[in-house]
Amino acid sequence: ARKSAVIAVDGPAGAGKSTVARLLADRLGYLYLDTGAMYRALAYKALSEGIDLRDEAELAELLNQTTIELYPKGHGQVTVMMDGQDVTGHLRTPEVNASVAVVAGFPLVRREMVLRQRELARHGGVVMDGRDIGTFVLPDADIKFFLTASLEARAERRYHELRQAGFDVSLDRIREEIQHRDLLDSSRPYAPLSQAADAILLDTTKMEVEEVVERMLAMCDQRLN
Ligand code: CDP
Ligand code: CDP
């Protein structure tokens, strides 16, 4: 594939975006950019500082005072640095899961994030995943994927992930949490989660990770060469 292409990956929670985007980037020798981690970092900071999550102006102000850097560690793994500190381990907790979509709903927050994301993708050679990448952040991306899977499959994936990480969670709670977050993400007025008209839809409910990556690679080969 071309060395400078821009690849967008969107979809609901637990569809496998970060897992496959990371592997795809690795195979192509591209940079993987996790935009969810940027919203998570802001939510984490707001929670840590006791900021009112309903206060759009305060959150936007907080973001302006916050640096967020994504450092590739090889094999598509990313270290998230916030204000010079490694916060990677703090971003996927139930607390952040429960507040990130609220923080991400505000136009003032999104506008600043989108500027930063476009800057990161400026030189191409990137796979960027999120909710509004194909529709809003990078509308001219060379290839756009929209990954989905049934709610049940997505909830089970998340459940296993969190259990393995040592969190005492129930499948019912996870299912509710991602359903609620999907609803917030899909129904917000500004840059909601939606499939771009020119995105390739992949339903991964019955697919293994490797199979998804192979299909995406094949489509990249087809379209970019
Ligand atoms: O980023 P997103 O929320 O879309 O999903 P993720 O964080 O990549 O989590 C997806 C989880 O489901 C990971 O634990 C994957 O190993 C697993 N999985 C997948 O991503 N794709 C499949 N086709 C099957 C399982
Ligand atoms: O891994 P998972 O799909 O659960 O979440 P994520 O990709 O880390 O994104 C976390 C949250 O950030 C989403 O539920 C959205 O509320 C928000 N987000 C967004 O609004 N726009 C993006 N481009 C990426 C994430």
Side-chain angles (χ1 to χ4, degrees), residues 13 157 171 213:
R157 290 173 186 177
L171 181 58
V213 175

Side-chain angles (χ1 to χ4, degrees), residues 5-18:
V6 169
I7 301 173
V9 182
D10 292 299
K17 300 178 300 296
S18 37

Side-chain angles (χ1 to χ4, degrees), residues 2-224:
R2 263 187 285 133
K3 260 307 172 210
S4 59
V6 169
I7 301 173
V9 182
D10 292 299
K17 300 178 300 296
S18 37
T19 303
V20 303
R22 178 176 287 145
L23 289 168
L24 186 65
D26 205 32
R27 302 277 184 88
L28 293 169
Y30 282 16
L31 193 60
Y32 164 57
L33 296 171
D34 178 1
T35 63
M38 299 171 72
Y39 289 98
R40 286 175 182 274
L42 179 63
Y44 170 66
K45 188 169 181 179
L47 287 169
S48 310
E49 301 201 352
I51 282 175
D52 183 351
L53 297 182
R54 294 161 302 184
D55 192 332
E56 177 172 12
E58 236 195 288
L59 287 167
E61 177 58 26
L62 183 69
L63 178 57
N64 286 334
Q65 298 163 6
T66 305
T67 61
I68 303 168
E69 291 155 304
L70 307 173
Y71 287 105
K73 291 196 286 200
H75 300 292
Q77 299 295 319
V78 178
T79 299
V80 184
M81 302 289 287
M82 186 175 74
D83 302 327
Q85 289 206 333
D86 184 351
V87 295
T88 318
H90 298 287
L91 302 185
R92 307 205 65 91
T93 62
E95 292 73 26
V96 172
N97 284 343
S99 6
V100 61
V102 175
V103 170
F106 294 116
L108 285 179
V109 169
R110 300 199 71 80
R111 233 170 268 162
E112 171 62 20
M113 289 293 195
V114 168
L115 289 178
R116 296 187 189 191
Q117 290 156 5
R118 286 183 184 148
E119 178 65 23
L120 290 171
R122 191 175 45 142
H123 301 297
V126 298
V127 181
M128 185 178 279
D129 85 331
R131 298 292 185 289
D132 59 339
I133 310 306
T135 51
F136 197 77
V137 180
L138 307 170
D140 298 325
D142 298 286
I143 297 205
K144 301 176 184 179
F145 292 103
F146 194 85
L147 294 187
T148 59
S150 69
L151 175 64
E152 202 53 35
R154 293 186 290 115
E156 278 171 15
R157 290 173 186 177
R158 232 344 104 68
Y159 174 74
H160 290 302
E161 239 177 38
L162 286 168
R163 280 279 168 163
Q164 272 182 349
F167 290 105
D168 182 24
V169 290
S170 79
L171 181 58
D172 286 344
R173 272 295 308 274
I174 301 280
R175 193 189 299 108
E176 270 171 39
E177 186 266 312
I178 66 178
Q179 201 167 16
H180 179 63
R181 195 144 56 85
D182 286 347
L183 182 68
L184 286 179
D185 289 339
S186 311
S187 61
R188 67 175 171 238
Y190 188 76
L193 164 66
S194 75
Q195 186 185 340
D198 53 351
I200 300 164
L201 177 66
L202 275 176
D203 184 337
T204 72
T205 306
K206 297 193 171 128
M207 290 166 77
E208 297 292 337
V209 169
E210 193 50 34
E211 198 183 341
V212 180
V213 175
E214 286 300 329
R215 284 233 211 152
M216 291 168 92
L217 269 174
M219 289 173 197
C220 289
D221 269 352
Q222 234 176 46
R223 296 248 189 136
L224 301 178

